[in-house]
Amino acid sequence: MLKKIQICLCFFFVLGILYEISLLSGCFFSYMPMSKHFLTPEQVLNLGKSIIFLETTERLEPPPLVSCSVESAARIYQDRPIILFMKGLRNDTVLDLNSSYTAFSLLSSMKNVFIFPLQMETVFQETPLLQWYNKQEKNWVHISSDASRLALIWKYGGIYMDTDVISIRPIPEESFLAAQKSQFSSNGIFGFPAHHKFIWDCMENFVLKYNGNIWGNQGPFLMTRMLKAICNLTDFKGTEDHSCQNISFLNPQRFYPIPYPAWGQYYEVWEKNPNFNHSYALHLWNFMNHNRKAVVAGSNTLAEKLYKAYCPTTYKDLIQNAELRDFTSSGDAA
């Protein structure tokens, strides 16, 4: 009897070792999608090199642009975990591959996409942001997102991306900020290894200089003033990147080839499509989209072509099929 118990213990021990090896080697993503639902956020984040997205509203159904952002990242970074944190999710929320939320089901079915509740108090533990968070009203969206992205990248490392960023090729840098224009950094895309001093300094300055009445004070203006404190920023002359203190300051062409005043061009028909040869991802400036312009099947806009190329499942399920369902429903009603 004792021998049988020893054999069983050895068997489970070997299984545990093989499981850890599979996680560290990236083999985990070749398993069946359902197996990932047993993992905690910490287990996935500790794999390193995560691509992190945040949904800080209470909605549970990601709109098409959010779905496209996550899907495109999952396709470009197939050997890395793609994590969507959603504030509206709770630990007891029951949503799965058969959920009535189409986008949620779509993203959950992707082998390297993980969707977890965003628990801010847990995220801010052991950072300068926790005491600040406990004193604040909890009804702000953008500022809490600015804080959460800093804490997550500080703790676990990886790349943060806004949910209106479409990935088109891998980012080759590990420690980087994205220039929105010369001498001005965005905070919509950035990447650092865990426990990088620059991110810790940003969190401290976030609290020290906190002013919720100034848009972007804890976001792009924070990144810019912290970068200027350690680097002599100069204008970009062409498509070159800048580097300082082992931080790459990436050219605006990498993510912002269409600047925010011209954001509407993404929803226009182009005679000749841009090639974006110098870009790693494209920021679609959703916060500027007050009129809620959307991708429409058959419109031939630049955004529709990007969906077709970089998030084809989102395009098929949330754009084409949604329009077909709407058409069918209106026909039945008539």
Side-chain angles (χ1 to χ4, degrees):
M1 182 67 180
L2 180 60
K3 189 173 183 179
K4 289 183 179 180
I5 293 174
Q6 288 175 332
I7 292 172
C8 288
L9 288 175
C10 288
F11 175 75
F12 286 115
F13 178 74
V14 171
L15 278 181
I17 292 175
L18 292 174
Y19 178 72
E20 292 296 328
I21 291 173
S22 72
L23 289 180
L24 292 173
S25 67
C27 296
F28 170 75
F29 298 130
S30 66
Y31 291 175
M32 290 298 290
M34 284 304 293
S35 66
K36 68 185 182 181
H37 297 308
F38 295 101
L39 296 175
T40 66
E42 290 73 22
Q43 287 173 321
V44 178
L45 286 163
N46 283 329
L47 295 175
K49 296 187 175 181
S50 297
I51 312 294
I52 297 173
F53 296 89
L54 297 175
E55 174 57 76
T56 50
T57 70
E58 296 290 336
R59 66 188 174 192
L60 289 175
E61 173 68 338
L65 182 52
V66 174
S67 180
C68 185
S69 297
V70 176
E71 179 187 345
S72 65
R75 291 177 179 274
I76 295 297
Y77 303 95
Q78 295 185 23
D79 60 341
R80 300 174 70 164
I82 313 299
I83 306 176
L84 173 61
F85 284 100
M86 300 183 71
K87 185 172 180 287
L89 276 182
R90 303 292 183 266
N91 283 333
D92 58 352
T93 304
V94 180
L95 292 173
D96 55 28
L97 299 180
N98 297 317
S99 168
S100 59
Y101 295 107
T102 306
F104 192 99
S105 299
L106 182 159
L107 296 175
S108 296
S109 69
M110 297 181 181
K111 62 185 179 181
N112 61 332
V113 173
F114 300 82
I115 304 177
F116 294 121
L118 176 60
Q119 298 172 324
M120 292 187 189
E121 188 166 351
T122 301
V123 168
F124 296 143
Q125 291 289 339
E126 300 178 1
T127 78
L129 298 168
L130 181 60
Q131 187 175 6
W132 161 84
Y133 172 76
N134 288 332
K135 294 179 180 178
Q136 303 304 315
E137 296 289 338
K138 303 302 188 291
N139 59 353
W140 25 255
V141 173
H142 297 295
I143 298 175
S144 60
S145 175
D146 290 335
S148 297
R149 67 190 70 175
L150 289 171
L152 286 165
I153 295 298
W154 156 255
K155 286 184 171 184
Y156 303 105
I159 295 175
Y160 167 80
M161 292 186 184
D162 277 350
T163 53
D164 56 351
V165 172
I166 298 177
S167 297
I168 63 175
R169 58 178 57 89
I171 301 169
E173 308 290 342
E174 183 179 20
S175 300
F176 72 89
L177 294 172
Q180 185 174 315
K181 60 182 180 180
S182 287
Q183 303 187 41
F184 189 81
S185 176
S186 82
N187 75 326
I189 312 166
F190 61 93
F192 285 91
H195 301 148
H196 196 284
K197 184 179 185 299
F198 181 81
I199 298 298
W200 182 267
D201 291 343
C202 284
M203 291 191 293
E204 289 189 326
N205 192 270
F206 183 109
V207 177
L208 181 65
K209 301 290 186 181
Y210 178 75
N211 187 337
N213 295 320
I214 301 176
W215 184 92
N217 188 61
Q218 286 69 233
F221 288 103
L222 167 66
M223 294 297 208
T224 300
R225 65 178 175 262
M226 297 306 294
L227 187 61
K228 285 183 174 180
I230 60 173
C231 299
N232 180 26
L233 300 184
T234 58
D235 289 347
F236 291 98
K237 302 299 183 183
T239 58
E240 83 287 354
D241 299 320
H242 293 174
S243 181
C244 170
Q245 302 288 331
N246 293 320
I247 299 173
S248 296
F249 191 39
L250 301 185
N251 193 285
Q253 287 296 313
R254 304 292 178 238
F255 307 103
Y256 305 103
I258 296 179
Y260 80 88
W263 70 272
Q265 292 181 5
Y266 281 113
Y267 297 92
E268 295 175 358
V269 178
W270 290 52
E271 288 187 13
K272 182 180 180 181
N273 292 324
N275 55 39
F276 299 121
N277 286 339
H278 300 293
S279 301
Y280 302 133
L282 304 172
H283 195 294
L284 268 62
W285 304 107
N286 193 52
F287 78 94
M288 296 290 294
N289 192 359
H290 305 302
N291 295 326
R292 298 291 118 198
K293 291 186 178 182
V295 171
V296 177
S299 62
N300 206 33
T301 62
L302 178 58
E304 184 193 16
K305 292 179 179 179
L306 293 174
Y307 275 50
K308 285 182 175 180
Y310 300 107
C311 56
T313 305
T314 295
Y315 180 75
K316 177 183 176 182
D317 290 358
L318 302 188
I319 305 299
Q320 286 184 314
N321 289 353
E323 292 183 9
L324 181 61
R325 286 193 295 271
D326 291 344
F327 177 78
T328 304
S329 297
S330 63
D332 292 342

